[in-house]
Amino acid sequence: MLKKAVLFLQFSLWAMAGTVSLRPLEFPGVQVSRATAPSVQPFITSVLGGMGSERELVRSLLPYSVVLENSTSHAITAYTLLLTFVDANGKSGRDIRQYFNFESESNGMEIPAGTQHLVTPLWAFGLHTILHLRVGPSQREAEVLTTRLSFQTAVAISVDLVVFDNGQVIGADDANTLSYLKGYLNGEHEAASLVVDAINKGDSPEQVATRLQRLVDALRQQNTYEAYARASQASRFLRFAKNSPEGLYDKAQRVLGRIPVTLYR
Amino acid sequence: MLSPNIKRAVDIVANVAVLVICAALLLPFLGRHLRPVFRNDGAATSLLVGAIFPQLPTLSYSAHHATVLLFLNTHCVSCRESRSDYFDLQTSVKVGNNSAAVYAVFSAADSQQAIGEMQLRLPTIRVERFDKYHVSGTPTIVLINHKGIVKDFWIGTLTANAQTNLVRLAKEI
């Protein structure tokens, strides 16, 4: 009975929602469809079929989700789902979720060539993505979002940004999330260079940590997406400097030894 | 073990409770639609890039290489906050003599006096309802080419990047 009631309530909220429109992403080999479109239902069924208790959570997000299909010859390493909306009083809002993986090891977010992902405002799933959602907090997060969206008169969904493994960037980037990615990529090299230079000059682990802390503080004052991303990378090195100072130099050298990803349009 | 009568009674109470909760949830929705200053108009279909945009009264899309339609409402918070951005758009989309046209579109729910008080400094069009144009909330901004085809649309306040994209697209068409 309770399950029926919850499903009925979810359906009622969905029925109450205003118009949901999809802004397209035009690029050869990249297809974006609403997750409620009939053409993608076999894929949605397969993705949901592999889930446990989180299935109903993900199902409640489908009206605001897309299926991103990658038929190019390159893997997609980053993408942003942007929801913009207005309520009856003309108050605007937006919800941005960015997914990415620039590491060689999979985190389930990358979309290999010839595959597709279900991209929701809270999580992204491929056919074999394993996410360990904490159902309690995740449910609250999903409920807060779907309830908020259900009271909007108009919602636009778009895949605002896509980055391929060769660094090519496509998409409008209305939400300016490309600057975050640039900061994320540059910030890792920036922090690694600082560590290597400092250690080569003979700085102690404590002095290196102090330098990193100064960098984090300076970046946080800039209050931009890019600086925020750079600060988060410097913070990662700072934690490492404090917890495992013996491995810091090697870690920084490994980062500097990698071929840097250059983003281009 | 509950007797069948008690089980039936619990079931009925639970069903009534669900109906009451749903009615409570639907009330704000109904209130929103019955609001006198702005009607959602219940657009049946959503905006679609690549589709032919319905003709607006007194406006010919072929007269300009591109047309930017700003669907606004005099009580809309974001519309009021973005007035100077909308005015600036007129200048930004100019490409030589063949510039894109920018129009503010209001529904008949807004009086001419209220529209005037917004001081938009833009050519204005009034239409009976927005649903014919697949618009269900304000601000909604639609970019149309000279053939009347929707090239893109934006819902809500334009970010700086979105404004740049709009201007770029309007010039590229």
Side-chain angles (χ1 to χ4, degrees), chain A residues 210-222 231 238:
Chain A
T210 305
R211 283 173 181 272
L212 284 166
Q213 185 64 61
R214 274 197 217 121
L215 178 62
V216 170
D217 294 342
L219 289 169
R220 282 189 178 150
Q221 283 182 356
Q222 291 182 26
L238 179 60

Side-chain angles (χ1 to χ4, degrees), chain A residues 234-246:
Chain A
S235 292
R236 277 177 55 197
F237 273 94
L238 179 60
R239 280 195 299 277
F240 203 85
K242 287 176 177 172
N243 298 333
S244 319
E246 67 284 352

Side-chain angles (χ1 to χ4, degrees), chain B residues 2-167:
Chain B
L2 295 172
S3 74
N5 280 346
I6 294 174
K7 273 179 75 176
R8 199 176 305 126
V10 168
D11 211 26
I12 289 168
V13 170
N15 279 318
V16 170
V18 167
L19 287 173
V20 169
I21 292 167
C22 288
L25 283 167
L26 281 167
L27 274 177
F29 175 69
L30 289 174
R32 194 171 72 193
H33 282 265
L34 296 172
R35 195 184 281 256
V37 291
F38 174 61
R39 290 173 55 199
N40 178 19
D41 289 338
T45 52
S46 55
L47 281 163
L48 206 59
V49 170
I52 298 270
F53 198 73
Q55 195 60 51
L56 278 148
T58 70
L59 180 63
S60 168
Y61 301 133
S62 60
H64 304 275
H65 84 279
T67 304
V68 181
L69 298 175
L70 311 168
F71 285 86
L72 309 177
N73 175 280
T74 55
H75 291 82
C76 154
V77 178
S78 299
C79 308
R80 288 183 165 271
E81 287 173 351
S82 304
R83 279 176 298 187
S84 60
D85 290 338
Y86 298 152
F87 178 72
D88 291 344
L89 263 180
Q90 282 186 122
T91 320
S92 310
V93 296
K94 274 187 180 166
V95 191
N97 294 329
N98 193 17
S99 63
V102 181
Y103 291 92
V105 185
F106 289 87
S107 80
D110 284 308
S111 68
Q112 282 289 13
Q113 187 186 341
I115 295 168
E117 283 168 0
M118 270 188 86
Q119 298 182 326
L120 275 170
R121 295 177 290 162
L122 285 171
T124 301
I125 298 170
R126 278 176 90 203
V127 297
E128 194 182 339
R129 293 159 62 98
F130 282 171
D131 58 346
K132 185 182 170 189
Y133 306 98
H134 316 304
V135 171
S136 57
T138 55
T140 293
I141 296 152
V142 188
L143 175 65
I144 301 163
N145 73 3
H146 67 285
K147 291 178 181 172
I149 294 169
V150 177
K151 299 306 286 181
D152 208 341
F153 63 87
W154 293 263
I155 287 171
T157 304
L158 288 175
T159 61
N161 277 16
Q163 280 183 48
T164 307
N165 287 330
L166 195 167
V167 170

Side-chain angles (χ1 to χ4, degrees), chain A residues 129-168:
Chain A
T129 307
I130 300 167
L131 282 187
H132 300 289
L133 303 177
R134 291 186 302 147
V135 172
S138 302
Q139 184 161 0
R140 275 191 295 280
E141 205 179 353
E143 280 169 1
V144 166
L145 183 67
T146 51
T147 305
R148 185 180 183 203
L149 290 171
S150 70
F151 285 99
Q152 308 302 320
T153 54
V155 180
I157 316 173
S158 61
V159 173
D160 194 43
L161 186 80
V162 166
V163 179
F164 294 97
D165 61 2
N166 60 355
Q168 186 174 11

Side-chain angles (χ1 to χ4, degrees), chain A residues 37-262:
Chain A
S39 60
V40 298
Q41 290 318 297
F43 173 68
I44 297 291
T45 305
S46 300
V47 171
L48 294 179
M51 292 181 182
S53 53
E54 70 273 26
R55 184 183 301 134
E56 292 310 315
L57 281 185
V58 176
R59 202 191 294 278
S60 71
L61 294 168
L62 291 182
Y64 310 107
S65 305
V66 298
V67 171
L68 176 56
E69 186 175 353
N70 177 15
S71 304
T72 70
S73 55
H74 286 278
I76 291 173
T77 50
Y79 43 100
T80 302
L81 184 73
L82 171 65
L83 270 64
T84 55
F85 40 84
V86 288
D87 67 11
N89 296 314
K91 273 192 182 167
S92 294
R94 58 185 182 152
D95 185 88
I96 305 162
R97 189 60 63 135
Q98 188 168 36
Y99 303 95
F100 59 89
N101 177 25
F102 293 109
E103 309 297 326
S104 52
E105 195 177 326
S106 171
N107 67 359
M109 295 300 104
E110 69 283 358
I111 309 177
T115 66
Q116 50 194 344
H117 259 48
L118 167 62
V119 185
T120 81
L122 296 179
W123 310 286
F125 305 91
L127 268 182
H128 307 294
T129 307
I130 300 167
L131 282 187
H132 300 289
L133 303 177
R134 291 186 302 147
V135 172
S138 302
Q139 184 161 0
R140 275 191 295 280
E141 205 179 353
E143 280 169 1
V144 166
L145 183 67
T146 51
T147 305
R148 185 180 183 203
L149 290 171
S150 70
F151 285 99
Q152 308 302 320
T153 54
V155 180
I157 316 173
S158 61
V159 173
D160 194 43
L161 186 80
V162 166
V163 179
F164 294 97
D165 61 2
N166 60 355
Q168 186 174 11
V169 175
I170 61 168
D173 193 28
D174 283 353
N176 196 26
T177 53
L178 181 60
S179 65
Y180 182 89
L181 286 183
K182 283 178 177 169
Y184 183 88
L185 293 168
N186 295 336
E188 192 176 37
H189 267 71
E190 179 180 35
S193 298
L194 182 149
V195 167
V196 168
D197 287 350
I199 292 175
N200 284 343
K201 282 179 191 162
D203 278 7
S204 68
E206 290 76 21
Q207 286 171 314
V208 176
T210 305
R211 283 173 181 272
L212 284 166
Q213 185 64 61
R214 274 197 217 121
L215 178 62
V216 170
D217 294 342
L219 289 169
R220 282 189 178 150
Q221 283 182 356
Q222 291 182 26
N223 201 24
T224 63
Y225 278 164
E226 193 196 9
Y228 180 77
R230 284 164 60 199
S232 73
Q233 292 286 35
S235 292
R236 277 177 55 197
F237 273 94
L238 179 60
R239 280 195 299 277
F240 203 85
K242 287 176 177 172
N243 298 333
S244 319
E246 67 284 352
L248 185 62
Y249 189 79
D250 287 346
K251 180 183 166 64
Q253 286 284 24
R254 275 199 303 277
V255 168
L256 294 178
R258 270 193 236 140
I259 300 166
V261 180
T262 307

